Amino acid sequence: MKKTLKITVALVAVLAGLTSCNNSEKSKGRSGALASNVAEKVYVAPGEHDSHYAFISGGYSGNLTVYGLPSGRMFKEIPVFSQFPTNGYGYSEETKPMLETSFGFVPWDDSHHPDISQTNGKLDGRWIFINGNNTPRIARISLTTFETEEIIEVPNSAGNHSSSFITENTEYVVAGTRFSVPVPQRDMPIKDYKGNFKGALTFIAVDPEHGHMDIKFQILMPGFNYDLSHPGRGKSHGWFFFTTYNTEEASTLLEVNASQNDKDFIAAINWKKIEAYVNNGGGKMMPAEYTHNLHDEATHTATSTMKKEVRVVDPAEIPGAIYLLPTPKSPHGCDVDPSGEYIVGNGKLSANLTVHSFTKMLDAIEKKKFDGDAYGIPILRFEDVLAGSVEQPGLGPLHTEFDGKGNAYTTFFISSEVVKWKLGTWEVLDRKPTYYSVGHLTIPGGNSREPFGKYMFAMNKITKDRYLPTGPEMEHSAQLYDISGDKMELLLDFPTHGEPHYAAAIPAEIIKNNSKKIYRLAENKHPRKATIDADTKVVRDGKNVHVYMTTIRSHFSPDNIEGVKVGDKVFFHVTNLEQDFDVPHGFAMIGANNAELLISPGQTRTLTWEPKKVGVWPFYCTDFCSALHQEMQGYVRVSPADSNIELSWSLGD
Ligand code: RUQ
Ligand code: CUA
């Protein structure tokens, strides 16, 4: 067995060498991957499990994908902000409310930054949160069901990018606006942006028991672009840090006009202080429309509620809660090390990496060593808060993660590499190329007090020649590195779906034993469920026809329905009676203007069908569920609108 593996490895090595010899940059990197034991390090034998889950943002797919590490195998795509025909999310009546917004039904978004819930600064594996960037929303996904349970819209925001990061006891999931906008929105000239637009930073409280989200307050900051953010932790718990760019407040040709200032800022927010202020009645309620969508596991049904106001705080009302740390050149990533002492600002256009010291920041605040202010918010002096800089580590730094052993890893977009450096001495320890143009990187637990520093993976924007070509567009690419030694070792390339921005990863044992196997039929509280065949029926309510249907290997009940008419609206409420792990059934109806349903064991889902043509029309199960799956079918007889055929339904004779 081992021997075969070694031969395979050798073969892979030879092939890799052959195919890459036409590109010297590439062969350099590949030779790094060719240590003879590399394949063993990512090999997960058939039937064995990966050691880690990775949750990778789907970017413009609006979803979240689940991978195993170290194999790089994709296990699941979890629909979040986008309609998903694979399981009917956003198409079924139960899940459509999840995609309601104040703009109406929005069946797509652009998701960027997943973050796993924490207790005492450690990943607890209960939920994962992710942002919708385009129509500002935050979603919470259960890590027992791997389904989206809740979505809250974020008002007064636009380009919800510095989101969705978690404080160390999941007190808050935080969302910051990338684009500043008029608050409240109004008709005004764009050229009057400066001084008039606002950037909302939103603190969404998370109920510790159920995870339910509620906007606690929004801070209405100056009209900068708030790019990324991270919570303080340990000693800096209670603070939150946001990178800004466009502190010039330009509204046109930002590629030039937002790069004028030598330094932009990291905004340091003492959220504990603002929370106390708000708890004492501080801030003011402002009219705002935003939806709160919640999926109930008992009824298997989502509801959407329109909220009408939000609490806003003007920084001027609460002196001493917000400070600005000058940070060179349009910083992107804003990353806090596991101890909470260091705040890394990755200036996209800066030669050096800037690291601020939390202790020095507090000291400078105490001594009131300010260097002016921006709209009343005190600016600290760069030299007073600087912990150190990493000199000329690479070009175009974007994001930094930590291994919990005193090392940091920063991605460089322009020079396409990951650079490992030491916290405190700021020396560069290692660098490895990435193929190509790396954005984020992830270390399991990287945004927590306790990273698991065995693996790191880089998520690359450009794929080019890494896989077999698939036409003009290639899926993006991730690369897995072993970081347990002094030098990083490239182990694996694997494709990702949509654009992987950030990812969150976690040791599998924290999650896998809690993973739900079935929904208990006895606990199904869906108002139109049918949990035994005797509950099945077809009920007419004017032009609406409700079919209470069950499904089990290998039939639907009922499977023959007559008395439906053109112009009716037929609701198939299908309950899956199976109580076995991993036995979903599908349901699809010819001509339905939506997707199929995929119904989990014990679940009820509803498909709406508006029959347009007279005839006898089949439905069937879409998921190959048993040897008699092909027999899982039925017919609906559709009669003319004025027909007087009575409703009837049956199964067997
Ligand atoms: S971003 S590639 Cu949307 Cu997190 Cu930096
Ligand atoms: Cu049920 Cu196929």
Side-chain angles (χ1 to χ4, degrees), residues 593-612:
N593 299 110
N594 45 34
E596 51 135 23
L597 304 172
L598 191 74
I599 312 141
S600 289
Q603 196 177 48
T604 306
R605 285 280 183 253
T606 301
L607 179 137
T608 306
W609 176 56
E610 296 179 57
K612 300 194 175 71

Side-chain angles (χ1 to χ4, degrees), residues 75-303:
F75 300 145
K76 186 168 203 155
E77 179 170 1
I78 303 174
V80 183
F81 298 111
S82 295
Q83 280 183 309
F84 194 59
T86 310
N87 72 357
Y89 177 87
Y91 292 100
S92 68
E93 293 306 312
E94 287 79 3
T95 55
K96 275 195 221 163
M98 294 301 283
L99 303 180
E100 285 297 337
T101 75
S102 64
F103 300 90
F105 186 73
V106 178
W108 170 87
D109 217 303
D110 177 18
S111 58
H112 284 228
H113 306 119
D115 206 7
I116 295 171
S117 56
Q118 298 184 21
T119 304
N120 294 325
K122 296 186 215 165
L123 302 187
D124 62 22
R126 300 171 77 195
W127 308 298
I128 185 164
F129 297 82
I130 191 166
N131 58 325
N133 186 64
N134 180 59
T135 303
R137 289 175 275 183
I138 301 286
R140 181 178 55 81
I141 295 138
S142 159
L143 289 180
T144 57
T145 61
F146 286 57
E147 288 192 25
T148 305
E149 285 191 332
E150 188 175 3
I151 294 179
I152 191 161
E153 193 179 351
V154 184
N156 298 330
S157 248
N160 175 35
H161 193 263
S162 33
S163 322
S164 48
F165 298 103
I166 311 291
T167 56
E168 70 172 27
N169 284 300
T170 321
E171 296 96 335
Y172 292 99
V173 50
V174 173
T177 197
R178 178 167 144 217
F179 309 121
S180 283
V181 287
V183 175
Q185 271 291 7
R186 57 193 178 273
D187 178 15
M188 64 175 279
I190 300 168
K191 67 169 178 42
D192 296 345
Y193 175 127
K194 193 166 185 159
N196 291 312
F197 284 27
K198 294 267 178 263
L201 307 180
T202 304
F203 284 69
I204 302 167
V206 179
D207 167 64
E209 201 184 336
H210 300 105
H212 294 168
M213 298 185 284
D214 193 17
I215 297 179
K216 178 92 170 176
F217 57 86
Q218 295 193 305
I219 309 164
L220 296 184
M221 295 285 285
F224 309 151
N225 291 39
Y226 297 85
D227 205 13
L228 265 304
S229 67
H230 264 93
R233 56 178 59 97
K235 64 170 80 164
S236 53
H237 178 57
W239 291 77
F240 221 99
F241 304 94
F242 292 81
T243 42
T244 68
Y245 65 102
N246 192 24
T247 51
E248 297 85 349
E249 295 180 75
S251 60
T252 182
L253 201 63
L254 264 66
E255 63 172 319
V256 176
N257 295 331
S259 305
Q260 298 303 309
N261 293 346
D262 188 44
K263 297 192 174 63
D264 297 280
F265 301 119
I266 285 180
I269 312 280
N270 185 338
W271 60 259
K272 279 251 162 114
K273 191 166 185 155
I274 301 173
E275 179 188 59
Y277 172 70
V278 162
N279 284 344
N280 286 318
K284 64 169 198 292
M285 296 309 284
M286 163 184 171
E289 285 210 318
Y290 59 104
T291 53
H292 180 216
N293 308 333
L294 193 58
H295 186 267
D296 181 318
E297 203 179 302
T299 60
H300 298 283
T301 302
T303 48

Side-chain angles (χ1 to χ4, degrees), residues 551-556 578 583-586 620-626 628-630 632:
T551 175
I552 194 165
R553 282 164 289 180
S554 295
H555 62 265
F556 295 100
E578 306 281 355
V583 189
H585 290 285
Y620 72 101
C621 171
T622 47
D623 185 309
F624 208 109
C625 50
S626 74
L628 297 172
H629 156 79
Q630 290 297 80
M632 272 191 93

Side-chain angles (χ1 to χ4, degrees), residues 112-113 161 228 332 398-399 439-440 461 501-502:
H112 284 228
H113 306 119
H161 193 263
L228 265 304
H332 184 59
L398 290 184
H399 298 281
H440 276 273
K461 305 294 185 191
H501 287 262
Y502 192 42

